[in-house]
Amino acid sequence: MLKIENLQARIEEKEILKGINLDIKPGEVHAIMGPNGSGKSTLASVLAGREAYEVTGGSADFLGKDLLEMAPEDRAKEGLFLAFQYPVEIPGVSTTNFIKTAVNEKRKYQGLEPLDAAQFLKTMKEKMQLVQINQSLLSRSLNEGFSGGEKKRNEIFQMAMLEPKLAILDETDSGLDIDALRIVANGVNQLRSKDNAFLVVTHYQRLLDYIVPDFVHVLYNGKIVRSGTKELALELEEKGYDFIKAELEAATV
Amino acid sequence: MPEEHEDILEQVTTSEYKYGFVTAIEADEAPRGLSEDTVRFISAKKNEPEWLLEHRLKSFRQWLNMEEPQWPNVTYPKIDFQDIIYYSAPKQKIAPKSLDEIDPELRKTFEKLGISLDEQKRISGVAVDAVMDSISVATTFKDELSKVGVIFCSMSEAVQEHPELVKKYLGSVVPATDNYFSALNAAVFSDGSFCYIPKGVRCPMELSTYFRINAANTGQFERTLIVAEEGSYVSYLEGCTAPQRDENQLHAAVVELVAMEKAEIKYSTVQNWYPGDKEGKGGIYNFVTKRGICAGSHAKISWTQVETGSSVTWKYPSVILKGDYSIGEFYSVAVTNNYQQADTGTKMVHLGKNTRSRIVSKGISAGKSQNSYRGLVSVSKNADNARNFSQCDSMLLGDKCGAHTFPYIEVKNNTAIVEHEATTSKIGEDQIFYCNQRGMDTETAVALIINGFAKEVMNQLPMEFAVEAQKLLAISLEGSVG
C-alpha cells in the first residue's frame, strides 16, 4: 500500500529525515516510536504533504502512485488520512458542515454524487457511536473550545467518516486520559480491516496496549534504527530510549 | 514552498466577474451632462407633478453649493459630473401592460442574472421589482400583494399612483441637504422601489429589487422608500450587478426606511456591482446613503449587507432610534479584493429611552485592497438606558491589503452602556493545510473559513438568498490567501 524508500526531508536548512524505509501492506498496523525530536511527526507531515517540509530525496509509492508528487488534497482523496497531533480550530464552521464538505469533495473525486442530507446524517449517526461523540459537539464550531480528548475523538470520527485506506495517527494519545485513550483506541480497532492500514506514531507504549501493532519501528535521529514486533515496544517501555541510543553509540565507536 | 502556496492563491483569484455582459437594447437617453435642463428633462420624462420638479430643482441648486466629501478612507480620480448621462431607459417597443408583454431582451437579461420575471417560475414567497438603468422594468406579484393592502411598485409609479404618500415621506429621513451625493440623488433620481405596508399587516412575501446598470457612461441614481405602518412587518432584499467596463460608473442611491410603532423592517443587500479588473481598472463607484428611522416606540430596523462588488464603496446604513424601546441592527460583511476600496459602517443614533442597537461588522480584505469600518454610536441627552454593542472583526488575506477601523462614540447620557469589541485575524496556513488534508483544495478551504468568519451575518439573510451570498463570498475571494 505504502512503500517508502530512502525518504529524506528538511525544514528550512535542518535535515530531519535522513533516509526512511518502510513498507506497509493492507491490513497491517505499524507503530513508529522514538524519542522527542527523532522525526516522527515530520514523517507524518511529509507523508500528508505539509508545505513547510521539503523532500530532498527518496520516494514514496502509495497505491501505485507517486505520493510525493501529489497535492495534499489529492493524497487525502486517494485515501490517506492524518489524525493531527494538534487539530486546528475553525471558528464559525460547524464540525458537521466541515465533515460534509470533506466527504463530498472525496465523493466528487471518485465520481460519485454528493450525499444528501438524510444519507449523510444516517452515516454520521452510525460513526458517532464508534467514538462516543455526541451531536451537540458536532454542531459546534470545529474544535473551538473542545477539550483535548474531544479534539482527538473528533479526529477519529472524521477518519471513520472518510474511510481512508491508510490512516496516520500522529501522537493521538498525547494529552489523553486513560478513558479517552480507550475510546479512541476502541474506535480505531473497530475500523481495522484487511483492506486498510494504520501508521501509529507515538512516544509511549501505552497506546499500543490498546491498538496492537503488527510491526514496531524505532525512529532515532531521522532514521529507523530498529524494527520488530510488538515485543519491541515493551522492551522500549522497560529500558527507555536510552538503551537504543547506547546501542547505536556503541556501534559507531 | 510557501511561495508555491502563494502562487496557487494567486491563480485562484483569476475568476471572472460573472455578470459582466451587456444587453444590446436601444435606450432613450438624456443628453450627457448636468444642468437644470437635465433635471427638467428627467422630471418631464416621468411626467411628474410640479411639486416634485420643484423639489428636484431645489436640491440641484443646493448640490451646486456643496463639496464632495473628503473624509472617507478612499481615493479615486475626480468625477466629471458633466461627463455622465443621467437618464437612460431601455426602449421597449410597446408599453407593457402586463408581465407577458415585457421586451424579450429585457426578460432574457434578468433570466441570465437568475431573476425570473415570470411569476409562475419564481420561487414562491419573493416579489421582484426589476430596475434597469433609470427605470423599473417589471414588478411581480403586485396583485397578490395589493390584496393585503401592501403597495410594492416602482418609485415612478408611486409618484403617479400614491403622490400623497411619496410627498409625505420622500426626503423625510434623508433630506436632500444631508450630504453631497444625497443632494445629487434628490435632483436626478430616476427609479427605485416603493413599499408601503399598512397597519398591522405582515407582508406575506419577501420583497426584492434587482438593480442592473446596463448602458455605458450612465449613472444610476435610484431612490427607494419603505414605510411600515404600526405593527407591520416587511423583509426586503436588493441585489445589484453591472456590466464589465473600463470606465468607472457612478451609482449614488438613497434609501429611506420609516418604521412606525411596533413595526419591523428587515432590509438586506447583496451588492455585487462590477468591482473593476485585477489592475483596478473600471468598476462602480458606489456612493450610497441609507437611513431608517424608528419613528414609534418598539419599532425595529435591521440592516444586513453583503458587500462584494464596486471599485469604491462609501456607505453607512444607519438607524435613528427615535421611539422609546426601539431597536436598530447592522450586520455587515464587506469583502474587498484586488484594488477595491470600501469605507462602510453604520450610525446608530439613540434619541429615545431604552433604545438598543447592535453592530456586527466583518471586513475581509484581500489583494491590494483597503477595507475600512467607520461607525458612529451616539446617545443623546434624553436617551436614558440606551444600549449598544458593537463588534468589528477584520480578516486579512495576504500582506498587501489593509483593514482599518474608525469607531466613533458620542455619549451624552451617563445611563448608557456602550460596548465595542474588535479583532483582526489572518487565515492560518495550519487551517488551510488541515482542510487540504481532508481533501479540500485551497479554494474550497478559503471559502469555508471565510464563510465561517462571516456566519453571524450570513445567518441574518433570508433563506432564499443565503446560499447565493455564500457562493458570492467564495467567488469574490478566490485565490487571495498568503
Side-chain angles (χ1 to χ4, degrees):
Chain A
M1 178 175 290
L2 177 69
K3 194 170 172 62
I4 303 171
E5 283 179 338
N6 193 28
L7 182 65
Q8 298 157 52
R10 66 179 179 197
I11 184 162
E12 286 161 3
E13 292 307 306
K14 197 169 184 291
E15 296 289 334
I16 312 250
L17 301 183
K18 299 171 183 169
I20 304 273
N21 295 294
L22 198 59
D23 190 0
I24 302 176
K25 295 191 170 63
E28 293 178 351
V29 173
H30 289 244
I32 300 261
M33 300 185 70
N36 289 332
S38 57
K40 300 190 299 289
S41 284
T42 299
L43 177 62
S45 293
V46 166
L47 293 176
R50 197 186 270 274
E51 285 182 5
Y53 297 92
E54 189 186 349
V55 174
T56 51
S59 66
D61 178 289
F62 181 53
L63 297 163
K65 292 188 179 167
D66 183 351
L67 182 74
L68 304 175
E69 280 298 302
M70 279 189 257
E73 60 270 28
D74 291 336
R75 300 180 195 201
K77 286 183 283 202
E78 287 287 341
L80 184 138
F81 181 92
L82 172 64
F84 284 69
Q85 184 178 3
Y86 304 109
V88 304
E89 299 179 0
I90 305 184
V93 178
S94 73
T95 306
T96 308
N97 184 22
F98 179 81
I99 297 175
K100 194 174 180 187
T101 308
V103 167
N104 285 332
E105 285 291 315
K106 186 169 179 181
R107 290 180 66 90
K108 195 163 78 188
Y109 187 77
Q110 294 167 332
L112 299 171
E113 288 291 307
L115 283 183
D116 65 35
Q119 291 168 308
F120 179 77
L121 262 174
K122 188 167 167 278
T123 316
M124 214 170 79
K125 288 236 158 80
E126 285 167 25
K127 310 286 183 178
M128 276 158 60
Q129 314 264 331
L130 280 179
V131 284
Q132 301 176 24
I133 207 161
N134 61 37
Q135 186 86 54
S136 68
L137 193 73
L138 299 180
S139 310
R140 282 165 51 187
S141 292
L142 184 73
N143 291 324
E144 203 179 34
F146 285 24
S147 71
E150 286 170 336
K151 283 184 183 173
K152 296 298 172 76
R153 273 192 283 167
N154 189 12
E155 292 293 290
I156 303 305
F157 174 63
Q158 290 181 42
M159 182 173 91
M161 289 297 292
L162 289 165
E163 300 177 334
K165 299 202 177 74
L166 174 69
I168 303 168
L169 311 185
D170 187 8
E171 308 223 10
T172 297
D173 52 335
S174 70
L176 291 189
D177 62 34
I178 198 74
D179 293 329
L181 185 72
R182 226 177 253 148
I183 293 168
V184 164
N186 190 32
V188 171
N189 287 332
Q190 290 188 57
L191 294 167
R192 280 174 82 160
S193 81
K194 63 176 175 34
D195 301 317
N196 62 20
F198 290 84
L199 182 61
V200 181
V201 174
T202 180
H203 187 80
Y204 299 105
Q205 193 271 336
R206 68 170 189 170
L207 178 66
L208 306 181
D209 286 341
Y210 300 97
I211 304 174
V212 181
D214 300 300
F215 301 96
V216 174
H217 311 277
V218 179
L219 193 61
Y220 179 67
N221 198 15
K223 281 186 168 176
I224 290 176
V225 292
R226 288 268 299 266
S227 291
T229 55
K230 63 177 194 247
E231 281 70 31
L232 177 58
L234 293 170
E235 192 182 346
L236 282 172
E237 176 75 1
E238 194 185 316
K239 299 183 183 168
Y241 287 109
D242 285 345
F243 100 95
I244 295 267
K245 290 182 198 169
E247 262 186 26
L248 285 171
E249 274 156 26
T252 49
V253 169
Chain B
M1 295 292 256
E3 293 97 67
E4 198 178 302
H5 190 67
E6 271 171 28
D7 277 355
I8 298 167
L9 296 166
E10 287 288 330
Q11 281 165 24
V12 264
T13 29
T14 54
S15 87
E16 300 285 321
Y17 182 69
K18 259 169 65 190
Y19 309 100
F21 64 91
V22 180
T23 307
I25 191 157
E26 217 184 317
D28 182 9
E29 292 185 338
R32 199 181 282 245
L34 181 57
S35 65
E36 286 203 6
D37 286 346
T38 320
V39 176
R40 287 177 196 280
F41 176 94
I42 295 169
S43 190
K45 272 282 169 197
K46 295 184 174 288
N47 193 27
E48 286 176 351
E50 191 60 28
W51 64 265
L52 192 49
L53 174 63
E54 279 311 313
H55 172 76
R56 285 176 181 275
L57 288 170
K58 196 175 146 211
S59 306
F60 177 69
R61 286 167 202 143
Q62 280 163 334
W63 177 75
L64 288 174
N65 293 319
M66 293 170 85
E67 296 282 334
E68 202 170 329
Q70 299 299 322
W71 49 263
N73 187 26
V74 296
T75 54
Y76 54 92
K78 207 163 169 48
I79 298 169
D80 182 355
F81 289 95
Q82 296 306 329
D83 197 34
I84 293 173
I85 295 167
Y86 288 83
Y87 181 85
S88 174
K91 249 187 209 162
Q92 303 207 57
K93 286 172 195 80
I94 43 158
K97 286 191 192 66
S98 75
L99 291 173
D100 305 332
E101 292 175 10
I102 292 163
D103 191 300
E105 270 305 310
L106 292 175
R107 185 183 287 277
K108 254 196 280 176
T109 300
F110 283 95
E111 296 280 349
K112 247 168 129 173
L113 297 167
I115 308 295
S116 175
L117 300 181
D118 190 335
E119 288 183 359
Q120 272 74 46
K121 283 190 197 151
R122 200 54 214 162
I123 3 166
S124 59
V126 185
V128 183
D129 183 21
V131 177
M132 191 194 274
D133 296 326
S134 306
I135 64 156
S136 166
V137 173
T139 310
T140 63
F141 292 109
K142 263 158 84 173
D143 297 344
E144 208 172 317
L145 288 167
S146 70
K147 281 179 202 151
V148 288
V150 171
I151 302 169
F152 179 47
C153 62
S154 70
M155 184 60 91
S156 307
E157 201 181 322
V159 169
Q160 305 300 327
E161 308 288 327
H162 311 282
E164 69 298 338
L165 287 173
V166 176
K167 197 170 177 180
K168 184 172 174 191
Y169 292 108
L170 190 79
S172 68
V173 190
V174 180
T177 48
D178 187 77
N179 68 70
Y180 188 75
F181 292 107
S182 68
L184 178 64
N185 177 287
V188 299
F189 74 86
S190 38
D191 225 335
S193 300
F194 175 78
C195 317
Y196 177 82
I197 322 296
K199 186 173 169 180
V201 171
R202 192 177 169 88
C203 188
M205 55 181 85
E206 300 273 343
L207 303 184
S208 80
T209 304
Y210 197 91
F211 293 101
R212 173 73 178 170
I213 294 179
N214 184 58
N217 305 309
T218 57
Q220 195 181 47
F221 305 93
E222 95 246 0
R223 184 104 196 177
T224 292
L225 174 60
I226 300 177
V227 179
E229 291 286 10
E230 189 183 325
S232 68
Y233 169 85
V234 63
S235 170
Y236 175 94
L237 183 124
E238 60 172 353
C240 336
T241 58
Q244 205 159 333
R245 296 185 199 283
D246 287 348
E247 306 80 40
N248 295 102
Q249 280 180 282
L250 177 63
H251 169 86
V254 172
V255 174
E256 296 176 283
L257 312 182
V258 181
M260 300 305 186
E261 190 182 329
K262 290 183 182 145
E264 179 177 350
I265 301 174
K266 188 172 161 56
Y267 192 105
S268 313
T269 304
V270 176
Q271 186 264 108
N272 187 22
W273 295 119
Y274 177 54
D277 69 9
K278 278 188 289 175
E279 273 73 50
K281 199 168 184 194
I284 303 294
Y285 294 154
N286 188 35
F287 300 150
V288 171
T289 307
K290 290 184 170 173
R291 192 176 303 152
I293 181 164
C294 289
S297 69
H298 298 91
K300 181 176 176 185
I301 289 177
S302 181
W303 297 100
T304 302
Q305 58 172 22
V306 176
E307 301 276 318
T308 60
S310 301
S311 61
V312 181
T313 295
W314 179 99
K315 178 183 170 188
Y316 316 92
S318 306
V319 184
I320 297 167
L321 297 152
K322 187 170 168 238
D324 294 345
Y325 295 95
S326 59
I327 298 172
E329 292 177 335
F330 174 73
Y331 295 95
S332 169
V333 177
V335 179
T336 53
N337 197 358
N338 300 317
Y339 285 90
Q340 281 176 277
Q341 306 173 65
D343 190 308
T344 184
T346 184
K347 282 193 274 186
M348 291 292 172
V349 182
H350 294 256
L351 302 176
K353 295 180 180 30
N354 301 299
T355 47
R356 282 184 288 149
S357 64
R358 180 178 173 82
I359 299 169
V360 178
S361 164
K362 306 272 178 176
I364 301 159
S365 354
K368 292 175 178 147
S369 69
Q370 296 295 329
N371 199 328
S372 305
Y373 167 81
R374 185 184 303 275
L376 168 70
V377 176
S378 98
V379 177
S380 74
K381 215 167 65 193
N382 299 319
D384 294 344
N385 306 315
R387 292 212 59 164
N388 163 266
F389 174 75
S390 303
Q391 182 172 343
C392 301
D393 298 326
S394 309
M395 185 173 263
L396 297 165
L397 312 191
D399 52 11
K400 295 180 191 81
C401 53
H404 316 270
T405 308
F406 305 98
Y408 300 89
I409 296 172
E410 291 171 9
V411 177
K412 295 190 178 118
N413 182 312
N414 57 19
T415 61
I417 301 174
V418 177
E419 292 170 86
H420 181 91
E421 284 179 11
T423 65
T424 303
S425 55
K426 288 186 88 163
I427 290 188
E429 274 185 38
D430 281 0
Q431 285 175 319
I432 291 182
F433 178 66
Y434 189 85
C435 296
N436 287 157
Q437 211 302 304
R438 296 300 184 252
M440 300 171 208
D441 57 25
T442 299
E443 202 175 308
T444 308
V446 170
L448 190 80
I449 296 167
I450 288 297
N451 274 305
F453 173 73
K455 188 180 173 189
E456 215 182 327
V457 175
M458 304 300 262
N459 282 349
Q460 298 294 326
L461 285 175
M463 270 285 267
E464 292 88 339
F465 304 97
V467 177
E468 211 47 46
Q470 276 182 20
K471 282 188 204 149
L472 187 58
L473 274 197
I475 290 164
S476 320
L477 279 170
E478 279 176 357
S480 31
V481 189

Short mmCIF file of all heavy atoms in Angstrom, two decimals, chain B residues 29-63:
data_model
loop_
_atom_site.label_atom_id
_atom_site.label_comp_id
_atom_site.label_asym_id
_atom_site.label_seq_id
_atom_site.Cartn_x
_atom_site.Cartn_y
_atom_site.Cartn_z
N GLU B 29 -32.14 58.14 -23.99
CA GLU B 29 -31.21 58.76 -23.05
C GLU B 29 -31.32 60.27 -22.99
O GLU B 29 -31.68 60.92 -23.98
CB GLU B 29 -29.77 58.40 -23.44
CG GLU B 29 -29.45 56.94 -23.26
CD GLU B 29 -27.99 56.61 -23.53
OE1 GLU B 29 -27.32 57.39 -24.24
OE2 GLU B 29 -27.53 55.57 -23.02
N ALA B 30 -30.94 60.80 -21.84
CA ALA B 30 -30.81 62.25 -21.71
C ALA B 30 -29.47 62.63 -22.32
O ALA B 30 -28.55 61.83 -22.35
CB ALA B 30 -30.83 62.65 -20.24
N PRO B 31 -29.35 63.88 -22.83
CA PRO B 31 -28.03 64.31 -23.31
C PRO B 31 -27.03 64.27 -22.15
O PRO B 31 -27.41 64.47 -20.99
CB PRO B 31 -28.26 65.73 -23.79
CG PRO B 31 -29.72 66.00 -23.72
CD PRO B 31 -30.35 64.94 -22.89
N ARG B 32 -25.78 63.98 -22.47
CA ARG B 32 -24.74 63.94 -21.47
C ARG B 32 -24.64 65.27 -20.73
O ARG B 32 -24.82 66.32 -21.33
CB ARG B 32 -23.42 63.66 -22.20
CG ARG B 32 -22.31 63.14 -21.36
CD ARG B 32 -21.09 62.95 -22.26
NE ARG B 32 -21.20 61.72 -23.05
CZ ARG B 32 -20.37 60.68 -22.91
NH1 ARG B 32 -19.39 60.71 -22.02
NH2 ARG B 32 -20.50 59.61 -23.65
N GLY B 33 -24.34 65.21 -19.44
CA GLY B 33 -24.13 66.46 -18.70
C GLY B 33 -25.24 66.75 -17.70
O GLY B 33 -26.28 66.09 -17.69
N LEU B 34 -24.96 67.73 -16.83
CA LEU B 34 -25.88 68.01 -15.74
C LEU B 34 -26.14 69.51 -15.63
O LEU B 34 -25.20 70.31 -15.50
CB LEU B 34 -25.30 67.49 -14.43
CG LEU B 34 -26.13 67.68 -13.17
CD1 LEU B 34 -27.50 67.06 -13.32
CD2 LEU B 34 -25.40 67.07 -11.99
N SER B 35 -27.42 69.88 -15.72
CA SER B 35 -27.82 71.27 -15.57
C SER B 35 -29.29 71.25 -15.12
O SER B 35 -29.88 70.19 -15.00
CB SER B 35 -27.72 72.00 -16.91
OG SER B 35 -28.66 71.44 -17.81
N GLU B 36 -29.86 72.41 -14.92
CA GLU B 36 -31.28 72.44 -14.58
C GLU B 36 -32.12 71.80 -15.67
O GLU B 36 -33.16 71.20 -15.41
CB GLU B 36 -31.74 73.88 -14.31
CG GLU B 36 -31.23 74.40 -12.99
CD GLU B 36 -32.06 75.55 -12.42
OE1 GLU B 36 -33.12 75.87 -13.00
OE2 GLU B 36 -31.63 76.11 -11.39
N ASP B 37 -31.63 71.92 -16.91
CA ASP B 37 -32.36 71.31 -18.02
C ASP B 37 -32.40 69.79 -17.89
O ASP B 37 -33.41 69.15 -18.22
CB ASP B 37 -31.70 71.68 -19.36
CG ASP B 37 -32.00 73.13 -19.73
OD1 ASP B 37 -32.91 73.71 -19.09
OD2 ASP B 37 -31.32 73.67 -20.62
N THR B 38 -31.29 69.22 -17.43
CA THR B 38 -31.25 67.77 -17.23
C THR B 38 -32.32 67.36 -16.22
O THR B 38 -33.05 66.39 -16.40
CB THR B 38 -29.87 67.32 -16.69
OG1 THR B 38 -28.85 68.05 -17.34
CG2 THR B 38 -29.66 65.84 -16.86
N VAL B 39 -32.37 68.13 -15.14
CA VAL B 39 -33.34 67.84 -14.08
C VAL B 39 -34.77 67.94 -14.63
O VAL B 39 -35.60 67.06 -14.41
CB VAL B 39 -33.14 68.80 -12.89
CG1 VAL B 39 -34.20 68.56 -11.82
CG2 VAL B 39 -31.73 68.64 -12.30
N ARG B 40 -35.02 68.97 -15.41
CA ARG B 40 -36.35 69.14 -16.01
C ARG B 40 -36.66 68.00 -16.99
O ARG B 40 -37.78 67.51 -17.07
CB ARG B 40 -36.43 70.48 -16.77
CG ARG B 40 -36.51 71.69 -15.85
CD ARG B 40 -36.50 72.99 -16.66
NE ARG B 40 -36.18 74.13 -15.80
CZ ARG B 40 -37.07 74.72 -15.00
NH1 ARG B 40 -38.32 74.27 -14.98
NH2 ARG B 40 -36.71 75.72 -14.24
N PHE B 41 -35.62 67.60 -17.74
CA PHE B 41 -35.78 66.51 -18.70
C PHE B 41 -36.26 65.23 -18.00
O PHE B 41 -37.22 64.59 -18.41
CB PHE B 41 -34.43 66.26 -19.41
CG PHE B 41 -34.42 65.10 -20.37
CD1 PHE B 41 -34.68 65.30 -21.73
CD2 PHE B 41 -34.14 63.81 -19.93
CE1 PHE B 41 -34.66 64.23 -22.62
CE2 PHE B 41 -34.13 62.74 -20.81
CZ PHE B 41 -34.40 62.95 -22.16
N ILE B 42 -35.56 64.89 -16.90
CA ILE B 42 -35.91 63.66 -16.18
C ILE B 42 -37.33 63.76 -15.63
O ILE B 42 -38.14 62.85 -15.78
CB ILE B 42 -34.90 63.41 -15.03
CG1 ILE B 42 -33.51 63.13 -15.61
CG2 ILE B 42 -35.36 62.24 -14.14
CD1 ILE B 42 -32.40 63.12 -14.59
N SER B 43 -37.63 64.89 -15.04
CA SER B 43 -38.94 65.08 -14.43
C SER B 43 -40.04 64.99 -15.49
O SER B 43 -41.10 64.38 -15.26
CB SER B 43 -38.98 66.43 -13.71
OG SER B 43 -40.14 66.53 -12.94
N ALA B 44 -39.78 65.58 -16.66
CA ALA B 44 -40.76 65.55 -17.75
C ALA B 44 -40.95 64.13 -18.26
O ALA B 44 -42.06 63.68 -18.53
CB ALA B 44 -40.32 66.48 -18.88
N LYS B 45 -39.82 63.41 -18.41
CA LYS B 45 -39.87 62.02 -18.88
C LYS B 45 -40.81 61.20 -17.99
O LYS B 45 -41.48 60.28 -18.44
CB LYS B 45 -38.47 61.38 -18.81
CG LYS B 45 -37.65 61.60 -20.05
CD LYS B 45 -38.10 60.66 -21.16
CE LYS B 45 -37.46 61.07 -22.49
NZ LYS B 45 -38.14 60.49 -23.64
N LYS B 46 -40.77 61.52 -16.72
CA LYS B 46 -41.55 60.77 -15.76
C LYS B 46 -42.92 61.39 -15.49
O LYS B 46 -43.64 60.91 -14.62
CB LYS B 46 -40.76 60.62 -14.45
CG LYS B 46 -39.51 59.78 -14.66
CD LYS B 46 -38.78 59.53 -13.37
CE LYS B 46 -37.62 58.56 -13.58
NZ LYS B 46 -38.08 57.18 -13.82
N ASN B 47 -43.17 62.46 -16.22
CA ASN B 47 -44.48 63.09 -16.11
C ASN B 47 -44.81 63.44 -14.65
O ASN B 47 -45.89 63.13 -14.14
CB ASN B 47 -45.52 62.13 -16.71
CG ASN B 47 -46.84 62.82 -16.93
OD1 ASN B 47 -46.87 64.05 -17.12
ND2 ASN B 47 -47.93 62.06 -16.88
N GLU B 48 -43.86 64.06 -14.02
CA GLU B 48 -44.00 64.30 -12.59
C GLU B 48 -44.82 65.53 -12.26
O GLU B 48 -44.82 66.50 -13.03
CB GLU B 48 -42.61 64.44 -11.95
CG GLU B 48 -41.89 63.10 -11.83
CD GLU B 48 -40.47 63.24 -11.29
OE1 GLU B 48 -39.98 64.38 -11.16
OE2 GLU B 48 -39.87 62.19 -11.00
N PRO B 49 -45.44 65.54 -11.09
CA PRO B 49 -46.16 66.74 -10.66
C PRO B 49 -45.18 67.89 -10.37
O PRO B 49 -43.99 67.65 -10.14
CB PRO B 49 -46.89 66.30 -9.39
CG PRO B 49 -46.17 65.08 -8.91
CD PRO B 49 -45.58 64.44 -10.12
N GLU B 50 -45.73 69.07 -10.36
CA GLU B 50 -44.93 70.27 -10.20
C GLU B 50 -44.11 70.26 -8.90
O GLU B 50 -42.93 70.62 -8.89
CB GLU B 50 -45.87 71.50 -10.24
CG GLU B 50 -45.16 72.84 -10.35
CD GLU B 50 -44.30 72.99 -11.60
OE1 GLU B 50 -44.61 72.34 -12.63
OE2 GLU B 50 -43.31 73.76 -11.54
N TRP B 51 -44.73 69.80 -7.82
CA TRP B 51 -44.03 69.86 -6.53
C TRP B 51 -42.74 69.03 -6.53
O TRP B 51 -41.75 69.38 -5.91
CB TRP B 51 -44.93 69.40 -5.37
CG TRP B 51 -45.36 67.94 -5.42
CD1 TRP B 51 -46.53 67.47 -5.93
CD2 TRP B 51 -44.64 66.80 -4.93
NE1 TRP B 51 -46.58 66.10 -5.80
CE2 TRP B 51 -45.44 65.66 -5.19
CE3 TRP B 51 -43.39 66.62 -4.31
CZ2 TRP B 51 -45.05 64.37 -4.85
CZ3 TRP B 51 -43.00 65.33 -3.97
CH2 TRP B 51 -43.82 64.21 -4.24
N LEU B 52 -42.77 67.93 -7.29
CA LEU B 52 -41.59 67.08 -7.32
C LEU B 52 -40.48 67.72 -8.15
O LEU B 52 -39.31 67.67 -7.79
CB LEU B 52 -41.97 65.69 -7.86
CG LEU B 52 -40.92 64.60 -7.70
CD1 LEU B 52 -40.36 64.54 -6.28
CD2 LEU B 52 -41.49 63.25 -8.10
N LEU B 53 -40.88 68.36 -9.25
CA LEU B 53 -39.89 69.07 -10.05
C LEU B 53 -39.24 70.17 -9.21
O LEU B 53 -38.02 70.35 -9.23
CB LEU B 53 -40.54 69.68 -11.30
CG LEU B 53 -39.62 70.57 -12.15
CD1 LEU B 53 -38.45 69.77 -12.71
CD2 LEU B 53 -40.39 71.25 -13.29
N GLU B 54 -40.08 70.87 -8.44
CA GLU B 54 -39.54 71.92 -7.58
C GLU B 54 -38.55 71.36 -6.56
O GLU B 54 -37.49 71.92 -6.32
CB GLU B 54 -40.69 72.65 -6.84
CG GLU B 54 -41.39 73.69 -7.70
CD GLU B 54 -40.42 74.64 -8.39
OE1 GLU B 54 -39.50 75.15 -7.71
OE2 GLU B 54 -40.55 74.85 -9.62
N HIS B 55 -38.93 70.21 -5.99
CA HIS B 55 -38.07 69.54 -5.03
C HIS B 55 -36.73 69.18 -5.67
O HIS B 55 -35.65 69.37 -5.10
CB HIS B 55 -38.79 68.27 -4.52
CG HIS B 55 -37.95 67.38 -3.66
ND1 HIS B 55 -37.66 67.66 -2.34
CD2 HIS B 55 -37.32 66.21 -3.93
CE1 HIS B 55 -36.91 66.71 -1.84
NE2 HIS B 55 -36.69 65.81 -2.78
N ARG B 56 -36.78 68.68 -6.89
CA ARG B 56 -35.56 68.32 -7.61
C ARG B 56 -34.69 69.56 -7.87
O ARG B 56 -33.48 69.54 -7.63
CB ARG B 56 -35.91 67.69 -8.96
CG ARG B 56 -36.42 66.26 -8.89
CD ARG B 56 -36.81 65.81 -10.31
NE ARG B 56 -37.34 64.45 -10.37
CZ ARG B 56 -36.61 63.35 -10.45
NH1 ARG B 56 -35.28 63.43 -10.49
NH2 ARG B 56 -37.16 62.16 -10.51
N LEU B 57 -35.34 70.61 -8.35
CA LEU B 57 -34.58 71.81 -8.70
C LEU B 57 -33.93 72.45 -7.47
O LEU B 57 -32.78 72.88 -7.51
CB LEU B 57 -35.48 72.82 -9.41
CG LEU B 57 -35.88 72.42 -10.84
CD1 LEU B 57 -36.97 73.35 -11.38
CD2 LEU B 57 -34.66 72.43 -11.78
N LYS B 58 -34.69 72.44 -6.38
CA LYS B 58 -34.16 73.00 -5.14
C LYS B 58 -32.93 72.19 -4.69
O LYS B 58 -31.90 72.75 -4.31
CB LYS B 58 -35.26 72.94 -4.06
CG LYS B 58 -35.00 73.80 -2.86
CD LYS B 58 -36.21 73.77 -1.91
CE LYS B 58 -35.73 73.87 -0.48
NZ LYS B 58 -36.61 73.17 0.45
N SER B 59 -33.08 70.88 -4.78
CA SER B 59 -31.96 70.01 -4.40
C SER B 59 -30.75 70.26 -5.29
O SER B 59 -29.61 70.30 -4.83
CB SER B 59 -32.35 68.53 -4.52
OG SER B 59 -33.52 68.27 -3.79
N PHE B 60 -31.02 70.42 -6.58
CA PHE B 60 -29.92 70.65 -7.52
C PHE B 60 -29.16 71.92 -7.17
O PHE B 60 -27.93 71.95 -7.16
CB PHE B 60 -30.47 70.72 -8.95
CG PHE B 60 -29.41 71.04 -9.97
CD1 PHE B 60 -28.43 70.10 -10.27
CD2 PHE B 60 -29.38 72.27 -10.61
CE1 PHE B 60 -27.43 70.38 -11.20
CE2 PHE B 60 -28.38 72.56 -11.54
CZ PHE B 60 -27.40 71.61 -11.83
N ARG B 61 -29.92 72.97 -6.85
CA ARG B 61 -29.27 74.25 -6.52
C ARG B 61 -28.45 74.12 -5.23
O ARG B 61 -27.37 74.70 -5.12
CB ARG B 61 -30.32 75.36 -6.38
CG ARG B 61 -30.86 75.77 -7.76
CD ARG B 61 -32.13 76.63 -7.66
NE ARG B 61 -32.88 76.57 -8.90
CZ ARG B 61 -34.20 76.54 -9.00
NH1 ARG B 61 -34.96 76.60 -7.90
NH2 ARG B 61 -34.79 76.46 -10.17
N GLN B 62 -28.97 73.34 -4.32
CA GLN B 62 -28.20 73.13 -3.08
C GLN B 62 -26.92 72.35 -3.37
O GLN B 62 -25.85 72.64 -2.85
CB GLN B 62 -29.06 72.38 -2.05
CG GLN B 62 -30.01 73.32 -1.35
CD GLN B 62 -31.13 72.59 -0.64
OE1 GLN B 62 -31.50 71.48 -1.01
NE2 GLN B 62 -31.68 73.20 0.38
N TRP B 63 -27.07 71.33 -4.24
CA TRP B 63 -25.92 70.49 -4.58
C TRP B 63 -24.79 71.32 -5.16
O TRP B 63 -23.62 71.11 -4.85
CB TRP B 63 -26.36 69.40 -5.57
CG TRP B 63 -25.24 68.53 -6.02
CD1 TRP B 63 -24.63 67.54 -5.31
CD2 TRP B 63 -24.58 68.57 -7.30
NE1 TRP B 63 -23.63 66.96 -6.06
CE2 TRP B 63 -23.58 67.57 -7.28
CE3 TRP B 63 -24.74 69.34 -8.45
CZ2 TRP B 63 -22.75 67.32 -8.38
CZ3 TRP B 63 -23.90 69.09 -9.54
CH2 TRP B 63 -22.93 68.10 -9.49
#
